[in-house]
Amino acid sequence: MIFTLYSLASLIAWLIILAMGLLVFLNNWKGAVNRAYLWLSVTITIWVSGCFMESCFLDHGTNILIDQFLYSGAAFAPTAFLHSILVIINKSDKKRPVLLFSYIMSFIFLAINIFYRDYFIIDVTRRISFRYIALPG
């Protein structure tokens, strides 16, 4: 296990995103905007924690599992962002079909990431000195 400047930056980003999400949610846990922002924060936190772990662990097999975890968060981040924006501008009810389609696509990407990984990511390689990077399929 190593710790680099990239690891530190990822760890700080993880802490800030998680803290902001919890702070906003706990401020008004019944508010739709607050819940949507927490969901966005959770998806990004999963992605950033994967980046952090990929920069710390040197084992190839471990990094394959970490990369799968990372892309699980990344599968939902665009949809969570769309959802939070629609809630902020008060259009989530009007755009419900678009939001439903986005969530379905996110679940499809998650399933591809878990069950058909070779079509999505072939391998992870240490192409740069400070972390493993996914090799697209």
Side-chain angles (χ1 to χ4, degrees):
M1 186 169 174
I2 60 171
F3 198 78
T4 63
L5 187 58
Y6 181 83
S7 303
L8 178 63
S10 298
L11 182 61
I12 291 170
W14 180 83
L15 289 170
I16 290 171
I17 294 165
L18 184 60
M20 291 297 294
L22 289 173
L23 183 69
V24 168
F25 177 71
L26 293 175
N27 188 36
N28 180 11
W29 61 274
K30 291 183 180 180
V33 173
N34 301 58
R35 287 181 283 145
Y37 186 77
L38 177 67
W39 173 235
L40 175 63
S41 298
V42 166
T43 61
I44 294 173
T45 299
I46 291 170
W47 172 64
V48 171
S49 65
C51 293
F52 168 72
M53 290 186 290
E54 276 188 335
S55 66
C56 290
F57 292 97
L58 297 173
D59 180 55
H60 180 263
T62 304
N63 275 294
I64 289 175
L65 294 174
I66 291 170
D67 198 63
Q68 192 171 18
F69 173 75
L70 179 153
Y71 280 106
S72 296
F76 286 95
T79 302
F81 180 73
L82 174 65
H83 191 174
S84 64
I85 294 300
L86 290 175
V87 169
I88 288 169
I89 63 173
N90 206 17
K91 302 270 184 184
S92 60
D93 290 335
K94 187 176 181 182
K95 299 289 184 178
R96 189 167 299 278
V98 173
L99 202 51
L100 180 63
F101 177 74
S102 295
Y103 274 109
I104 290 169
M105 291 305 295
S106 291
F107 276 108
I108 289 171
F109 285 131
L110 179 66
I112 290 170
N113 181 43
I114 294 170
F115 301 111
Y116 303 101
R117 185 130 174 102
D118 293 341
Y119 294 114
F120 188 50
I121 301 294
I122 295 173
D123 199 8
V124 292
T125 59
R126 197 162 180 89
R127 290 185 281 168
I128 53 179
S129 62
F130 54 86
R131 73 172 276 209
Y132 275 82
I133 301 290
L135 194 62

